[in-house]
Amino acid sequence: MNQAASAKQRFASDLHLALSQRPRSVAPKYFYDEIGSQLFEQICELPEYYPTRTELALLRAHGAEMAACMGPHAQLVEYGAGALRKVRHLIAHLDEPHAFVPVDISGAHLLSACAELQQAYPALAIKPVVADFTQPHDLPPRPARGRRVGFFPGSSIGNFSPAETQAFFQMTAQELRGGGLLIGIDLIKDPAVLHAAYNDAAGVTAAFNLNLLARARRELGAEFDPAGFEHSAFYNAPQQRIEMHLLSLREQRFRLDGVDYEFAAGETLHTENSHKYSIAGFQAQAARAGFRAGPVWTDARGWFSLLWLEAPA
C-alpha cells in the first residue's frame, strides 16, 4: 500500500471511530490536507489571531539567544513544520548547523516549503520527513559533533490532551536526548481575546474547521449536507482551553463507507482543543519526562511564550 492510500485508510478508520462514539471527537491532524494547510496560513495573518505575529516578534527579537541554546553543528528537528516561516529566524543564527529536519503530515505542503527554504539557504542540508510526528517515525542519524534539538512553535502542543502532551514529552525526551526543545505555548488570558481569535470576522477559521468535513467528502466519499453543520468555538474556562466543534444544525444523517451515523440537532463533532498554560505549570509537566527548565521569552502583554527545555542525557 502506498503512503497516500495508507493515509486515506487511517483517516477513514479514525473518522468511523469518531462518529461511533459519544461524545464524538476526531484528531485535529485531519485539518491539514493541502486546502486546510493553506487556510491555516491565512488564519495566521488575521488581525484577531495574535499567536503567530506574537511568536514571530519573539523569534525576531531573541532568535540569536535561542540559537545559542542549541549550540554549534545542531541537527534541528521541527515538529509539525508547516510553512517553515518561523524556523528561518533560528536558522539565520545557528552556528554551522548539521541539518534541518522538518516533520509534517502534509507532504505536498511540506516539500513545497522546503524548496523555498532551500533557495534562501542553499548550503543548508534539508531532510524533510513526511510523517505524523505523534506516531513512530524515523529521523536521519544524529550528528557526529552537534546535538539534536527540537522546535515546536505555534502553541500546537495546546491541541493535545494532558495525556497526549505527556506522551509527546516522553517521545521527545528520547528523540532529543542530550539536546533540547524550543517550544511555543499560548498563555492564559482574557477569554474575550481568545474568543475573537477563534471566531474571526472573515470566517477563515470557520472554513478551516468545516474543511475537515469537505475533506471527508473529497477523499472518502462521505455523504451529508454541508449546510447542515456550522463552526462553533468557545472558551472552556474550567479546562483552560478553547474548544472547536462542528455543530449539527438539525437532525441529519452522515454516511461513510455505507455506514449511517445519526446526528441530533445541536450534537457536535469535537475537532480541536487549544489549551492555554501558565509557564510554571507547563515547565512542571515537562519535568515529569525529565526535561529541565531553561530560558523563557515572553511578550510584554504576557500572551505568549517560547520556552527552552533541556532534554535529559
Side-chain angles (χ1 to χ4, degrees):
M1 183 183 297
N2 63 36
Q3 190 173 57
S6 177
K8 182 177 174 179
Q9 187 178 73
R10 285 195 300 273
F11 181 25
S13 177
D14 285 353
L15 190 54
H16 275 295
L17 180 62
L19 293 169
S20 62
Q21 64 188 2
R22 294 291 194 282
R24 289 171 161 152
S25 178
V26 68
K29 65 186 177 184
Y30 292 117
F31 285 139
Y32 297 100
D33 65 344
E34 189 154 3
I35 293 173
S37 295
Q38 291 169 357
L39 284 167
F40 184 71
E41 295 307 319
Q42 292 177 39
I43 288 170
C44 293
E45 302 295 332
L46 294 169
E48 300 96 332
Y49 194 76
Y50 61 87
T52 300
R53 62 176 176 270
T54 307
E55 187 175 36
L56 278 168
L58 289 170
L59 285 162
R60 281 192 291 265
H62 304 287
E65 301 162 42
M66 298 169 187
C69 291
M70 297 177 174
H73 314 297
Q75 182 191 76
L76 176 58
V77 179
E78 182 175 358
Y79 299 101
L84 307 182
R85 289 176 57 203
K86 295 170 184 173
V87 76
R88 292 170 182 247
H89 298 287
L90 295 176
I91 291 170
H93 298 289
L94 286 173
D95 181 4
E96 297 183 25
H98 169 268
F100 173 53
V101 184
V103 186
D104 199 273
I105 197 172
S106 182
H109 192 67
L110 174 64
L111 297 177
S112 173
C114 285
E116 287 187 24
L117 186 68
Q118 192 75 80
Q119 289 183 343
Y121 296 95
L124 178 66
I126 302 176
K127 301 179 179 180
V129 175
V130 179
D132 175 358
F133 67 85
T134 67
Q135 301 299 316
H137 56 268
D138 294 323
L139 295 178
R142 293 173 178 274
R145 291 191 290 168
R147 304 193 297 169
R148 178 186 282 169
V149 297
F151 182 43
F152 194 26
S155 192
S156 298
I157 191 72
N159 297 154
F160 296 170
S161 69
E164 289 167 339
T165 299
Q166 204 59 39
F168 173 78
F169 281 138
Q170 289 166 350
M171 177 198 75
T172 51
Q174 291 299 314
E175 205 159 75
L176 306 173
R177 63 186 183 275
L181 174 66
L182 181 65
I183 188 166
I185 60 170
D186 200 8
L187 301 175
I188 297 165
K189 62 181 66 63
D190 183 348
V193 174
L194 295 170
H195 181 83
Y198 292 84
N199 292 278
D200 61 276
V204 183
T205 308
F208 174 69
N209 195 11
L210 289 161
N211 180 61
L212 190 148
L213 294 180
R215 182 183 179 186
R217 293 183 78 194
R218 288 191 299 270
E219 294 186 16
L220 308 179
E223 300 173 50
F224 60 94
D225 179 5
F229 292 89
E230 72 175 13
H231 165 72
S232 175
F234 55 89
Y235 185 57
N236 181 333
Q239 297 294 326
Q240 296 180 334
R241 70 190 187 198
I242 284 281
E243 294 185 13
M244 288 214 314
H245 294 252
L246 291 162
L247 174 69
S248 178
L249 297 176
R250 60 178 179 272
E251 185 177 317
Q252 60 182 307
R253 181 175 300 161
F254 186 109
R255 173 168 286 192
L256 180 63
D257 296 331
V259 181
D260 288 338
Y261 297 97
E262 302 294 334
F263 275 84
E267 190 174 3
T268 73
L269 175 61
H270 188 170
T271 53
E272 183 181 61
N273 289 321
S274 184
H275 290 85
K276 312 306 170 186
Y277 303 98
S278 70
I279 292 169
F282 190 79
Q283 288 172 327
Q285 189 166 4
R288 291 198 286 274
F291 283 96
R292 291 182 289 108
V296 176
W297 299 271
T298 306
D299 65 291
R301 293 178 296 190
W303 282 9
F304 197 95
S305 277
L306 280 155
L307 289 72
W308 177 253
L309 302 170
E310 285 283 341

